[in-house]
Amino acid sequence: MDFILDPPNGVSALWIGMGYEQALEVISDWGTPSVSGPYAHTSTVKIRVDYRSMDILAHLEDGETVTAIELWRFEEDSPDVRVLLEGADVFRTPAREVLRQQAERGRRVDESDPENPVIPEVTLAFTRETGQDVPRELDGLPMYFTSVLVAGVDYY
C-alpha cells in the first residue's frame, strides 16, 4: 500500500478540509479508528488508526474539518507500506536525501531545529525524534524520519 503525500492538500484519499464524517469513513478503510476530543480546553478532535506499520492521525482543530494529517512509523515497519513524497519513500530514504531533493525542487527547507525540519511553503513537517534504537548519523540524529505531517497552507 502506498500513501502519497500531496502537500498542502493531504495524503492519499484523506484531504485537508475534509469533514469529520468523510474523514472517519476514509480512515475506517485502513482499520478501526479511535476518536479523541473535543475536550473542555480545546475543540480539537483527532481520528487515529493503526495501519500495519504506521499510526495515521487526522487532526480536526475546529472539531469539524481536517486541518492536518500525521503519519508515524513504527519501529517494526511493514515493507509493503510506503509513504511517498514525489517518489521518495520518506521513512526509508535517508532524511538528508529527502530534504536535499525538496531543496532541489526550489523549496525552502527550514532545518533550524534539525530533529524537526519543515518546508513551510507546502506546510510539510518531519520529525526524527525517537526513543527507538535506530541507525544514526555521525551528528547523532536518526538517519530516517519517524513522522511526517501535511497541513493546509496557513498552518504555520
Side-chain angles (χ1 to χ4, degrees):
M1 170 83 163
D2 289 346
F3 289 87
I4 309 298
L5 302 179
D6 183 16
N9 302 308
V11 177
S12 295
L14 189 58
W15 304 111
I16 304 299
M18 182 178 275
Y20 172 85
E21 291 295 331
Q22 192 176 11
L24 188 61
E25 182 179 323
V26 168
I27 289 174
S28 294
D29 288 343
W30 299 323
T32 303
S34 63
V35 177
S36 61
Y39 300 103
H41 65 284
T42 179
S43 60
T44 298
V45 170
K46 293 181 183 180
I47 306 171
R48 178 183 163 276
V49 68
D50 289 340
Y51 180 78
R52 301 175 80 186
S53 63
M54 288 188 310
D55 251 352
I56 303 168
L57 290 104
H59 299 264
L60 295 82
E61 293 172 16
D62 63 359
E64 297 176 15
T65 56
V66 175
T67 53
I69 302 157
E70 196 171 9
L71 294 95
W72 284 86
R73 176 183 181 199
F74 294 152
E75 187 171 3
E76 297 294 325
D77 68 328
S78 177
D80 60 340
V81 176
R82 301 184 309 166
V83 176
L84 302 175
L85 176 62
E86 298 167 340
D89 185 335
V90 299
F91 294 144
R92 292 188 184 92
T93 304
R96 290 190 196 283
E97 177 65 16
V98 172
L99 297 176
R100 184 191 62 73
Q101 289 174 5
Q102 291 300 300
E104 285 179 353
R105 286 180 168 78
R107 293 180 174 152
R108 182 176 67 84
V109 176
D110 179 352
E111 292 185 82
S112 56
D113 179 354
E115 282 189 302
N116 300 290
V118 297
I119 303 173
E121 86 183 52
V122 292
T123 322
L124 194 57
F126 303 91
T127 189
R128 293 180 174 188
E129 294 177 15
T130 183
Q132 301 170 5
D133 183 21
V134 296
R136 294 189 180 265
E137 297 184 357
L138 294 176
D139 59 7
L141 286 172
M143 186 172 288
Y144 303 97
F145 290 122
T146 54
S147 78
V148 60
L149 178 135
V150 177
V153 292
D154 297 325
Y155 196 77
Y156 290 113

